[in-house]
Amino acid sequence: MKTALITGANKSIGFEAARQLLQHGYHVYLGSRDLQNGQQAADQLRAEGLVEVEPLQIDVTDSASIAAAREALGQQTSSLDVLINNAGISGAFPQPALTSDIGMIKEVFETNVFGVIAVTQAFVDLLRQSPAPRIVNVTSGLGSLTLHNDPSWKYYPVKGAAYQPSKAALNAYTIMLAYELRDTPFKVNAVDPGYTATDFNHHSGPGSVADAAARLVKAATLGPDGPTSQFFSDDNAPETGISPW
């Protein structure tokens, strides 16, 4: 049975991605900063008959928590097939470039960028034991620097000094990581789940959580001929699904 770890999976898109991977026959480690919330989410999935799920306490901004999660997971499995770096925060809005609080910007980067790097580095040894490891970094269409400089883009006015730059940095890290792993079976991609109605945006997005999670799962289950080092975004590029960086 293939295994997957999803951070920030106790609700919204991460939770739905866990459900869909379970339906695909994966054993899912449901990462949650709060173990009780993770346990409740796992119990809900088990009640649906999706029993191959276990909560895993992991705070991506806490090195000790990451180390403990790696040790706990390593006691249960010798390999990991999928890592979905889903945990993320938006920071307080608005985020003007000249007056945003530096502490707030650092906090966003701590989760959205450094957290992803820390988790990936901690679990890559288990991923290397898989014959077909997949890393999915959950980004945002708002992380495209090319489109942010295009006045005709539909989201052109949606600027922010913390969230958007953090996702642009995450995209850059994805490229570097994919390059480093280019001669291995790894597939490393950034995936924009789309403008989805979740707590993250006060349920203002038009997209469904099911569709958003399906985009993550598609990248997590790529075959051996699937692409790597791509920025997938149906929202930014509905015809091709590949967003400009």
Side-chain angles (χ1 to χ4, degrees), residues 29 69-78 126:
Y29 297 97
R70 167 60 185 84
E71 182 177 0
L73 195 146
Q75 292 173 354
Q76 300 180 59
T77 182
S78 60
L126 291 178

Side-chain angles (χ1 to χ4, degrees), residues 88-95 104-105 107-109 111-112 160-164 166-167 199-202:
I89 62 173
S90 61
F93 283 97
Q95 296 177 356
M104 181 272 293
I105 296 174
E107 183 179 8
V108 172
F109 268 72
T111 296
N112 295 0
Y163 181 70
Q164 287 87 332
S166 77
K167 291 302 186 180
D199 293 344
F200 200 81
N201 54 38
H202 306 290

